[in-house]
Each structure stands twice: as C-alpha cells, then as structure tokens.
Amino acid sequence: MTTIQKDDHGQKLESCTDTARTKEPASSFKRWGRKYPFIRYGLPMISLTVLGAIGLGHLLQGSKDIAKVKDDQEWEITETRKALSRTGPVDAYNPKKISIEEELKALQQKVDINNYEYKKIPKPNEGKQD
C-alpha cells in the first residue's frame, strides 16, 4: 500500500510500505547472481565438493576403526588359544592326514556308477493341462 503526498512545490511524493522494503534485498541478491556468477554457481559447487569430501573421509575413518577393532579381537582370541594349547588344558587341533586317493576310494564305494536308472525330468509345460 502506498500513500501519495504533495510537497511544497506541488510535486507528488510516494511513501513506500513494508512490502516494498522487503523486495529490495532479494533483488540485490539476484543482481549479485547476474553480476558475479561465481557466487551463484561456483561457490555452492565448491562448498558441496569440499564438505562431501570431508564427510566421506569421516565415514571411511569410522569403517577403518571398526575393522581394526575386529582384527584386534580376532588376534586376541587366536593368542589365547595358542597359550592354552601350550600349557595343556586344551588340546591343539590335530587334523587327520587324508589323501586324495583315500577320498576317491571312499566315494567309489558309496556310489556305483554302473548301476543307475533313468528318471525323466518333467518339462514346465507337461505339468499343466488345459
């Protein structure tokens, strides 16, 4: 809303309201964007890049810390097992000495490749009848 007043010389004077005052900073900001394109395009892009790199670095560091803690825990478990097996309360793991030939003989005894019967595998369309 504007009001019109006349001065001593008879010329019209307009007084501005609050809405006109609020439009001034926005229009000056738009002029900055046109006058200095770095402020409008370059500064947001650079800040996004820098802040993104810092954020990703922070996330990766946390992941590395968690992996290091897991490795330390596994190492402690391994060391306690070795210590217990040296002292004697827990027997160390002794795997059987198995050769490939022995495994082949055991498998041949279980499976007879000379006696078999054919089993037909049904096709997907055979099970359905209209």
Side-chain angles (χ1 to χ4, degrees):
M1 179 161 103
T2 60
T3 57
I4 301 174
Q5 298 175 352
K6 292 186 178 181
D7 65 351
D8 297 337
H9 303 291
Q11 294 181 354
K12 293 181 182 179
L13 295 176
E14 295 182 12
S15 63
C16 298
T17 61
D18 291 336
T19 56
R21 286 186 207 140
T22 57
K23 289 183 181 178
E24 280 184 26
S27 63
S28 67
F29 181 71
K30 287 182 182 178
R31 269 187 260 135
W32 273 13
R34 285 189 217 120
K35 192 172 182 183
Y36 307 108
F38 175 76
I39 293 174
R40 188 170 186 181
Y41 300 108
L43 192 63
M45 186 182 76
I46 290 173
S47 62
L48 183 67
T49 304
V50 170
L51 293 175
I54 291 170
L56 283 175
H58 185 69
L59 288 173
L60 287 175
Q61 186 62 38
S63 174
K64 288 178 184 177
D65 292 343
I66 290 171
K68 184 178 179 185
V69 168
K70 279 187 176 181
D71 288 344
D72 291 344
Q73 289 174 349
E74 288 176 5
W75 182 255
E76 287 175 7
I77 290 170
T78 306
E79 286 298 315
T80 55
R81 282 185 182 165
K82 285 182 181 178
L84 289 174
S85 66
R86 279 188 228 125
T87 57
V90 174
D91 294 329
Y93 175 68
N94 294 325
K96 295 180 181 178
K97 303 289 184 187
I98 299 176
S99 67
I100 295 176
E101 289 82 13
E102 291 174 3
E103 286 294 319
L104 178 63
K105 287 178 185 176
L107 186 62
Q108 284 176 345
Q109 289 173 356
K110 289 180 185 176
V111 177
D112 186 14
I113 60 170
N114 295 326
N115 297 328
Y116 57 89
E117 67 180 71
Y118 287 107
K119 292 185 179 179
K120 186 176 180 182
I121 298 174
K123 295 179 183 177
N125 295 335
E126 286 181 7
K128 298 177 185 177
Q129 293 182 5
D130 293 284

